[in-house]
Each structure stands twice: as C-alpha cells, then as structure tokens.
Amino acid sequence: MRPLILDTSVIIDGRLADIVETGVIDSPLIVPRFILKELQNIADSNERLRRNRGRRGLDVLARLQKSQKVNVQITD
C-alpha cells in the first residue's frame, strides 16, 4: 500500500472523510506537520470565513484520526 499525503485543501474540503468511511481507501494517510500548523493558523484567523474553514479542517482531521478504517500519521 502506498501512503497518501494530504494537503490543506483536501482536509478542509471534507469529502475525504466520507470516502474513507466507505472503505475504498485502505492506504495510510500522511499529514505533514507543516500542514497541521497551517490548519491551526487558518483556524486562528481574524477573518470569520477563513477561521471557519480552518476549524472545519481540524474537525475533519480529528474525524479521520478516530476512524477505524484508515491509519492517519502526522509526521515531520
């Protein structure tokens, strides 16, 4: 299995979490630490829409981490 590296836009989009729940993706998901930092910075933004997108991304990432169907690794 080849791991999939996630970027900010894929995580914020949220559809990946739904796809993972179907069991179609069985590869490990890799989230580089700089992507996690970027999500946190977006979630801390002063702009309401940008902040909401960042928080949604963090929620999606948490949902992926809790899923029993896929392995999520945060790495440097």
Side-chain angles (χ1 to χ4, degrees):
M1 284 182 282
R2 180 181 281 189
L4 302 173
I5 300 174
L6 305 183
D7 71 354
T8 308
S9 62
V10 169
I11 296 170
I12 288 174
D13 179 80
R15 289 181 279 185
L16 181 63
D18 295 331
I19 293 170
V20 163
E21 289 304 314
T22 66
V24 172
I25 297 176
D26 58 354
S27 298
L29 302 179
I30 307 295
V31 179
R33 193 163 308 278
F34 73 89
I35 295 293
L36 179 59
K37 272 190 159 179
E38 185 177 358
L39 282 172
Q40 290 169 335
N41 286 338
I42 293 170
D44 291 339
S45 173
N46 290 331
E47 293 179 45
R48 187 175 58 89
L49 290 175
R50 186 170 165 83
R51 184 175 54 243
N52 289 343
R53 288 184 50 184
R55 289 180 181 167
R56 181 176 62 225
L58 291 173
D59 290 344
V60 168
L61 185 56
R63 181 176 163 199
L64 288 169
Q65 288 177 308
K66 290 177 186 174
S67 175
Q68 299 295 318
K69 300 193 181 222
V70 71
N71 178 21
V72 177
Q73 301 171 14
I74 296 176
T75 184
D76 292 325

